[in-house]
Amino acid sequence: MEVILAEHAGFCFGVTKAVDTVYEQIKNNPGMNIYTYGPIIHNEIVVKDMEEKGVKVIESVDELEGIKSGIIVIRSHGVTREVHEKIAATGLEIIDATCPFVKRIHKIVSEESAKGKSIIVVGSANHPEVEGIVSYADGEVFVIDSPESAENFRGDRDKEYTIVSQTTFNKNKFQETVEIFGNNGYNINIVNTICNATDERQSEAENIASRADVMIVIGGAHSSNSRKLYEICNQKCAKTYFIQTLDDLHLERNEAVKLVGITAGASTPKNIIEEVQNYVRRNF
């Protein structure tokens, strides 16, 4: 039996930068209060490890009032413009670990909105990245989460719309969504803001899943990009499993299985990926 591990599996650039930032603060500032605004990434194991090292997670702006000293690290997904301003107003030291690709979308939305264009964000409305992106629009802004939502959109065809995407959105669904707006006669300016790491990861996972008898996707329960990988792989391989750790993997030995593919979301630590890979190679 063959086991293929996707080359682009595990931490992406933005996640690596954010996680390294927190661990550097832990190392360089012993005894200092270190906070992250929101979980630094969507991986419970990483967040738990940081908490065990003394890092506290701030879940709302109300919690800022009780903080008198320390360092606040802004999560990789970013925060809304209003939250950023409130954090700055505390006078505490701020380290912004927002993914550079997400920061780029903030800039695009702010500039396009200032030109009078309406903004369409393709993504999940309740995801922290999207909440942050939306906040940088000064005018009209819409969130579209699927091609079906695009079909049901009723806007002013005389207006100009700039379309951006959540960095981890399903690239195929983004393309389908954009085409619907064009076909329905809207005046659109498309800025594909799905990051390169997401594009590479999804393409590679799709390719492996199309050949695999079993596909394993490793990622956090709340990780949007991991869920998108599962969605893509499941369309190509009926036996696709979504797991957070090896403990979640329940495979039965099957001689008919000739190829097992493994991929992982952008917030999945390398050691978990290697653990799953080694287990599959030893036991199947």
Side-chain angles (χ1 to χ4, degrees):
M1 188 197 71
E2 184 180 4
V3 178
I4 297 179
L5 172 63
E7 181 182 350
H8 300 97
F11 282 7
C12 64
F13 166 76
V15 166
T16 299
K17 175 178 176 290
V19 170
D20 286 351
T21 295
V22 177
Y23 282 119
E24 284 170 8
Q25 295 308 309
I26 295 170
K27 178 182 177 182
N28 298 333
N29 298 285
M32 183 174 287
N33 292 325
I34 299 172
Y35 306 87
T36 64
Y37 193 94
I40 191 68
I41 61 172
H42 279 161
N43 186 281
E44 295 173 7
I45 295 169
V46 173
V47 172
K48 183 179 179 182
D49 182 66
M50 290 179 177
E51 288 179 335
E52 290 173 351
K53 291 177 170 60
V55 177
K56 301 177 181 67
V57 178
I58 299 171
E59 299 288 0
S60 70
V61 290
D62 293 338
E63 295 179 38
L64 293 171
E65 294 181 8
I67 300 174
K68 304 303 180 184
S69 64
I71 298 169
I72 297 180
V73 183
I74 295 176
R75 64 191 171 200
S76 59
H77 297 103
V79 295
T80 66
R81 182 162 54 180
E82 293 76 17
V83 168
H84 202 290
E85 290 170 355
K86 288 183 179 180
I87 294 173
T90 64
L92 299 171
E93 182 180 350
I94 302 171
I95 299 175
D96 192 347
T98 304
C99 171
F101 293 105
V102 176
K103 295 281 282 186
R104 172 176 171 258
I105 306 175
H106 293 175
K107 185 173 184 290
I108 291 168
V109 168
S110 179
E111 291 176 349
E112 292 295 288
S113 182
K115 295 175 185 175
K117 296 181 181 179
S118 296
I119 306 297
I120 295 173
V121 183
V122 181
S124 303
N126 60 352
H127 191 280
E129 179 188 322
V130 174
E131 291 173 349
I133 293 169
V134 166
S135 74
Y136 280 84
D138 290 319
E140 198 171 47
V141 58
F142 305 92
V143 178
I144 299 296
D145 63 3
S146 65
E148 292 75 23
S149 295
E151 284 286 11
N152 294 327
F153 180 78
R154 298 293 180 267
D156 186 346
R157 288 177 174 78
D158 293 327
K159 289 184 176 180
E160 289 185 83
Y161 295 88
T162 292
I163 301 179
V164 298
S165 173
Q166 183 177 348
T167 56
T168 56
F169 200 74
N170 183 316
K171 62 173 185 174
N172 297 325
K173 286 194 174 181
F174 176 72
Q175 186 59 41
E176 185 180 349
T177 300
V178 166
E179 288 176 358
I180 289 169
F181 279 109
N183 292 338
N184 287 348
Y186 289 98
N187 182 6
I188 55 174
N189 169 42
I190 305 159
V191 186
N192 185 346
T193 52
I194 296 175
C195 76
N196 292 336
T198 296
D199 194 352
E200 291 174 341
R201 195 180 306 266
Q202 291 181 0
S203 295
E204 188 178 21
E206 185 175 26
N207 179 270
I208 295 172
S210 67
R211 296 180 284 131
D213 300 299
V214 172
M215 191 73 191
I216 301 169
V217 179
I218 314 168
H222 302 293
S223 168
S224 173
N225 76 89
S226 298
R227 286 289 176 188
K228 298 298 189 301
L229 283 176
Y230 173 77
E231 182 181 88
I232 289 169
C233 292
N234 195 44
Q235 290 177 344
K236 297 294 182 179
C237 178
K239 293 185 178 179
T240 296
Y241 298 85
F242 185 92
I243 65 172
Q244 292 191 77
T245 68
L246 182 58
D247 292 339
D248 303 321
L249 184 60
H250 304 291
L251 292 179
E252 294 183 3
R253 190 184 299 273
N254 187 335
E255 293 182 1
V257 175
K258 303 300 182 185
L259 174 59
V260 176
I262 302 172
T263 188
S267 54
T268 305
K270 183 179 180 181
N271 65 300
I272 295 177
I273 300 170
E274 290 177 343
E275 189 178 19
V276 171
Q277 180 186 21
N278 292 335
Y279 175 82
V280 173
R281 282 179 170 165
R282 287 195 309 266
N283 293 280
F284 295 92

